Amino acid sequence: MKIFVGLISLIAVLLVALAGPLYKFDVIDLATAFAGFKFGLFAGIAALVLLAIQLLFKRNTASIGSALISAVLAITAIAIPLSMMNTAKNVPPIHDISTDLVNPPAFVAIAPLRADAPNPAAYDGIETAEQQRIGYPDLQTLRYDQTQPELIAATTQAIENLGWELVNIDTDKGIVEATDTTAWFGFKDDVVVRVTDNENERLVDIRSKSRIGGSDLGKNAARIHGFIKELDNVLAK
């Protein structure tokens, strides 16, 4: 039974862990990847139940090492999907985040790259803006004293530091565009940064949007927060 429990635990964690890479490299589609999450969760629960039965009724067939390894694998397979489900419940079910909800920065060079994406380049609209106001009230237009060229240069450096793919730099229009590819699933999310003059200060707005998916599990808001922190670090040097 020790081998059987260990095998179920291993299968459970593989179903969860490999869902992302298999989708990323076009081996399976997204629906199948998410199905892997579900079955991995169920397999992890089953493994824990079997492990409990083994420890209660067939203790002589178990060892501390094998039981510990099986438990860790099963708990991991359960914890990852449950964590994602919990995150989904606690963030707005949106995937288009902007610091300017009235006039969000528009994608220019990136727009053609999103032509076949399930989520269009256009802003998602009033309903999304209202949900963002509730979920991420801290995301607002930034104000800086630096010149527009300085901020464009700092934005470019921050994007490079974050490892995003630079797509477009237009100093005259005050626009920088980039694409961030997530590590696990390989999702491509696009970012546009807009720098505009406002008398004695410059206004910086950032927009991040997923190409696929309904809820982004808070990823785009986190990306904007990360960019702001990196931009401030660059400007402080």
Side-chain angles (χ1 to χ4, degrees):
M1 189 171 182
K2 175 173 68 175
I3 295 176
F4 182 65
V5 173
L7 182 61
I8 297 298
S9 300
L10 180 60
I11 291 173
V13 79
L14 288 177
L15 283 169
V16 172
L18 294 180
L22 290 176
Y23 170 77
K24 182 177 181 179
F25 294 107
D26 297 321
V27 178
I28 59 176
D29 59 23
L30 191 57
T32 303
F34 286 155
F37 266 49
K38 180 175 69 175
F39 290 122
L41 172 62
F42 293 155
I45 294 172
L48 284 183
V49 171
L50 290 172
L51 181 60
I53 292 172
Q54 181 186 19
L55 294 176
L56 287 173
F57 302 106
K58 295 186 177 182
R59 191 174 299 176
N60 62 318
T61 66
S63 65
I64 296 177
S66 65
L68 184 60
I69 292 172
S70 295
V72 169
L73 292 176
I75 291 172
T76 300
I78 295 170
I80 293 175
L82 288 183
S83 175
M84 295 177 68
M85 291 168 61
N86 183 63
T87 299
K89 291 180 180 179
N90 290 288
V91 298
I94 54 179
H95 54 262
D96 193 350
I97 307 297
S98 173
T99 56
D100 185 343
L101 299 176
V102 177
N103 180 32
F107 294 112
V108 181
I110 279 178
L113 303 179
R114 299 180 63 101
D116 297 326
N119 298 333
Y123 184 63
D124 282 351
I126 296 176
E127 184 177 345
T128 291
E130 289 301 322
Q131 292 186 75
Q132 182 184 318
R133 284 191 181 97
I134 296 171
Y136 311 113
D138 57 321
L139 288 179
Q140 299 179 4
T141 299
L142 306 173
R143 289 170 167 78
Y144 292 95
D145 295 328
Q146 287 85 355
T147 65
Q148 188 182 68
E150 288 173 336
L151 286 168
I152 291 296
T155 293
T156 302
Q157 185 60 57
I159 287 172
E160 291 177 347
N161 293 349
L162 291 167
W164 302 350
E165 178 187 355
L166 275 167
V167 177
N168 178 38
I169 304 172
D170 191 329
T171 303
D172 293 334
K173 294 182 179 179
I175 293 290
V176 180
E177 297 175 271
T179 297
D180 180 23
T181 302
T182 63
W184 190 10
F185 273 79
F187 292 133
K188 289 187 178 295
D189 299 341
D190 297 308
V191 179
V192 54
V193 180
R194 182 183 65 201
V195 182
T196 55
D197 283 317
N198 182 39
E199 297 180 351
N200 295 326
E201 62 181 1
R202 255 54 57 197
L203 306 181
V204 175
D205 284 295
I206 311 103
R207 179 181 170 205
S208 180
K209 183 170 185 176
S210 305
R211 293 189 188 182
I212 188 171
S215 173
D216 63 4
L217 302 182
K219 181 64 177 180
N220 286 295
R223 179 179 294 110
I224 291 176
H225 282 300
F227 169 79
I228 293 172
K229 181 178 179 180
E230 187 60 35
L231 177 61
D232 288 341
N233 287 339
V234 172
L235 291 172
K237 294 180 180 178

